[in-house]
Amino acid sequence: MKRAKNTISTGASFDLNQFLAERTEAVNRALNRYLPAVQVKPATIHKAMRYSLFAGGKRMRPALCLAAAEACGGTDEAAIPLACAVECIHTYSLIHDDLPAMDNDDYRRGKLTSHKVFGEGIAVLAGDALLTQAFEIAAGFKPTARYATAQIIQEIAVAAGSKQLIAGQVADLEGEGKKLNTAQLRFIHERKTSALLGCSARLGGMSANCTPAQLQALTDFGYHVGLAFQVIDDILDVTQSTEKLGKTAGKDLTAQKATYPAIVGLEKSRAIAKQLTAKAFESLKPFHGKAVALAALADFLLKRDC
Ligand code: GRG
């Protein structure tokens, strides 16, 4: 995907390409260290965990985590373990979401899905193993003056749990084939997408010992960016090809899922994504121009084409 050097709402010129390339490399190096090597027995599970984790995801949640840490004056060193933990949770959710019992998808991140390569049993276990790996990584968090390790673990557990990420998936499954209104759709998007994106930003702030006011700003930012991200995802599902997306395009329509384009149309969906991104920008005001990476990411996520 082409990314431009962009001038963001703060007026500062920020090279997002460079930011993403450097942070993705650092996160990949750390993930490679955290995950058991493929030779570790049983080799199949470690191969499967690595197969999905290194399949070429955009690493947006780690990027949000690291950008939030920077906005709060923190370091990549302190934030990277948490960035890795959220990427493990995210990848687990994608593996399980693709299973025949859920969305039954053959492609993800431009490659065959885990169950297609390793079989359903190993795919379920690879997801489980990535979920638990996330907590093992987070347990190594060095507490700051404001945030204990237990708080970090709770933050992740709540975002990934039955009232957030899993609640979104349940509502999504139960909503298939039903005519949902925008409030019901927003309930799904808040949990399925916004919860983990928001958690990523909050964790970055917490790794930097952020103030309560900064944490609130990151919460608001993550919430709006997360919703915008999902509205854009719904739009791309109907406007882009399978090749471009690296996953089956048009799937929402086939599965009779409620989406913003299906309920309000494409044009209004684009306007909603813009409004949500504008609210995300507004949330960054307390950072007084120091959240350039977060602002650039929000802008990039609005304009992405895959
Ligand atoms: C708990 C099984 C389970 C599922 C939770 C996350 C999720 C719900 C389902 C995955 C499918 C989906 C459409 C989720 C919404 C969030 C989203 C758009 C995920 C895709 O994120 P990207 O585009 O993916 O950042 P990459 O592959 O780039 O990391």
Side-chain angles (χ1 to χ4, degrees):
M1 188 187 339
K2 246 188 178 173
R3 297 178 192 118
K5 215 177 210 181
N6 50 359
T7 303
I8 51 168
S9 62
T10 55
S13 175
F14 178 78
D15 192 343
L16 187 63
N17 285 340
Q18 194 185 343
F19 176 87
L20 287 174
E22 287 174 3
R23 301 315 186 277
T24 297
E25 205 191 311
V27 166
N28 286 348
R29 270 202 308 271
L31 283 170
N32 190 37
R33 279 199 309 274
Y34 283 127
L35 257 78
V38 288
Q39 295 84 359
V40 175
K41 284 184 185 169
T44 324
I45 190 68
H46 301 128
K47 266 188 205 154
M49 288 163 80
R50 285 172 171 270
Y51 173 81
S52 294
L53 200 55
F54 294 108
K58 293 186 288 295
R59 304 289 194 239
M60 283 302 128
R61 292 147 191 85
L64 282 173
C65 179
L66 298 178
E70 285 182 27
C72 300
T75 63
D76 284 355
E77 195 192 345
I80 276 178
L82 304 182
C84 290
V86 286
E87 188 63 20
C88 287
I89 301 267
H90 169 57
T91 306
Y92 126 74
S93 78
L94 298 181
I95 296 175
H96 281 196
D97 183 64
D98 290 333
L99 286 167
M102 301 228 195
D103 270 9
N104 193 17
D105 254 305
D106 291 354
Y107 290 95
R108 172 70 68 179
R109 294 175 164 174
K111 295 173 86 173
L112 283 171
T113 41
S114 183
H115 63 273
K116 283 278 157 189
V117 176
F118 299 97
E120 281 180 50
I122 294 294
V124 169
L125 293 168
D128 293 342
L130 284 167
L131 174 62
T132 44
Q133 180 74 61
F135 288 100
E136 188 181 332
I137 298 170
F141 176 79
K142 290 189 188 71
T144 68
R146 290 192 183 92
Y147 305 102
T149 306
Q151 254 171 298
I152 297 291
I153 291 182
Q154 189 187 28
E155 178 76 25
I156 301 173
V158 169
S162 65
K163 289 188 272 184
Q164 293 295 332
L165 189 68
I166 290 174
Q169 184 74 349
V170 171
D172 192 54
L173 284 174
E174 291 180 346
E176 276 179 21
K178 290 189 188 137
K179 211 169 163 22
L180 304 188
N181 59 35
T182 46
Q184 291 166 315
L185 185 58
R186 187 170 273 227
F187 177 93
I188 296 176
H189 286 186
E190 281 169 353
R191 285 154 186 82
K192 205 173 85 167
T193 312
S194 234
L196 198 56
L197 285 159
C199 166
S200 306
R202 282 170 55 89
L203 286 172
M206 291 161 102
S207 77
N209 194 36
C210 67
T211 64
Q214 287 174 324
L215 190 62
Q216 185 57 53
L218 292 172
T219 307
D220 295 342
F221 174 81
Y223 174 77
H224 290 108
V225 158
L227 286 180
F229 185 91
Q230 187 57 55
V231 175
I232 295 291
D233 204 71
D234 286 359
I235 293 173
L236 296 177
D237 184 70
V238 286
T239 57
Q240 297 292 342
S241 64
T242 297
E243 197 187 24
K244 183 94 184 162
L245 296 179
K247 60 182 180 182
T248 318
K251 198 73 208 290
D252 295 338
L253 213 59
T254 330
Q256 293 185 288
K257 285 200 190 212
T259 64
Y260 269 90
I263 298 180
V264 301
L266 268 176
E267 210 173 310
K268 184 127 193 254
S269 300
R270 286 195 183 104
I272 291 172
K274 264 191 199 163
Q275 283 162 11
L276 289 164
T277 305
K279 286 197 176 154
F281 282 137
E282 242 174 75
S283 323
L284 296 178
K285 276 189 185 151
F287 293 105
H288 306 293
K290 283 201 185 121
V292 278
L294 282 176
L297 272 169
D299 185 55
F300 164 68
L301 291 176
L302 176 70
K303 294 175 183 159
R304 74 195 171 104
D305 60 3
C306 65

